[in-house]
Amino acid sequence: MQDILLVTNTDASEGFIKELLMNTTYSRMLNAYNFSDATNLLDVNRFDLVIINAPMRHELGDRLAKYAAQRTTSSILFIARESTYEQTLEIMHSFGVLSVKKPVPVKPFSQLIKLIENSSKRVAKLYSEGTEVLNIIDQLRTVDVAKWFLIQKYNITESQAHRIVEKYAMDHQLPKNTAAEKIVQGAVIEI
């Protein structure tokens, strides 16, 4: 992973998130504290990951998550309190935004970071091949949401979740993004 944009409301939460990312390799982390600053940074920089620690200083942060999902190729991580998490989960999933409920569990979070790093590598490879990334990014995000859903629900690794998504798609003769949507809707009852 190269660059990270961290949008948070306090320096204390900024420190906690940096601690969670301690085992992650990244080039730089830029910080923003409101929608305007974050969108300005998103418009002039390419980030591999955008972390939104909700609520932000003057708003919830869901609007920023949607903005980033629609206008960038970044993976977007929305961290929220339980009530906000439950309130925004469905809409975040529909935009391909990965959502995490506070308090953030360290072990699953490391799986999530691995998932994001793998997505960043795929996007970088597509860029280097000259592929039009924007056409593929929605599918990648939808599959990542399904993998994160499986990781949280069944306490499995990213590679196990990846195999489940692929197997479900093959068994039901569906495109990966359609299979991923069905998985998030509860199509996989047990593994």
Side-chain angles (χ1 to χ4, degrees):
M1 199 168 349
Q2 295 297 313
D3 294 340
I4 297 173
L5 173 61
L6 173 59
V7 185
T8 188
N9 57 1
T10 65
D11 292 336
S13 58
E14 179 182 321
F16 172 71
I17 291 171
K18 284 182 178 179
E19 190 176 310
L20 283 172
L21 295 169
M22 194 167 42
N23 295 327
T24 306
T25 307
Y26 57 89
S27 296
R28 66 184 175 147
M29 182 182 294
L30 299 179
N31 297 342
Y33 299 99
N34 59 51
F35 181 85
S36 178
D37 291 345
T39 56
N40 287 336
L41 286 169
L42 286 169
D43 289 342
V44 297
N45 296 290
R46 184 182 172 283
F47 294 98
D48 292 302
L49 174 60
V50 176
I51 301 173
I52 301 166
N53 184 30
M56 294 171 12
R57 285 197 176 158
H58 302 291
E59 64 180 271
L60 186 59
D62 57 333
R63 184 169 63 119
L64 177 60
K66 290 183 250 182
Y67 179 93
Q70 292 174 320
R71 299 193 179 167
T72 73
T73 59
S74 307
S75 293
I76 300 109
L77 178 57
F78 186 75
I79 303 172
R81 294 183 187 121
E82 187 169 359
S83 60
T84 303
Y85 174 84
E86 299 297 334
Q87 175 186 354
T88 60
L89 184 62
E90 193 172 312
I91 191 75
M92 291 296 109
H93 280 174
S94 70
F95 279 89
V97 174
L98 300 162
S99 298
V100 178
K101 185 176 9 174
K102 293 179 186 178
V104 178
V106 176
K107 184 181 176 194
F109 189 80
S110 64
Q111 287 294 321
L112 177 60
I113 293 301
K114 182 177 180 185
L115 179 113
I116 292 167
E117 287 175 337
N118 288 339
S119 289
S120 294
K121 287 176 188 174
R122 284 188 298 242
V123 170
K125 183 179 178 192
L126 291 169
Y127 267 123
S128 70
E129 293 171 350
T131 305
E132 181 57 43
V133 177
L134 294 176
N135 296 334
I136 299 169
I137 199 71
D138 287 336
Q139 177 183 345
L140 290 174
R141 284 181 178 155
T142 303
V143 170
D144 283 350
V145 166
K147 290 194 291 189
W148 176 235
F149 175 81
L150 292 167
I151 289 167
Q152 286 183 302
K153 186 171 183 175
Y154 298 110
N155 194 25
I156 59 176
T157 66
E158 188 270 340
S159 59
Q160 289 171 315
H162 182 78
R163 283 192 297 274
I164 291 169
V165 172
E166 287 201 339
K167 182 175 180 352
Y168 187 87
M170 281 185 7
D171 289 351
H172 295 86
Q173 298 178 346
L174 296 169
K176 269 192 205 179
N177 59 327
T178 303
E181 289 169 1
K182 290 189 177 291
I183 288 169
V184 171
Q185 294 167 358
V188 175
I189 299 167
E190 61 182 52
I191 58 170

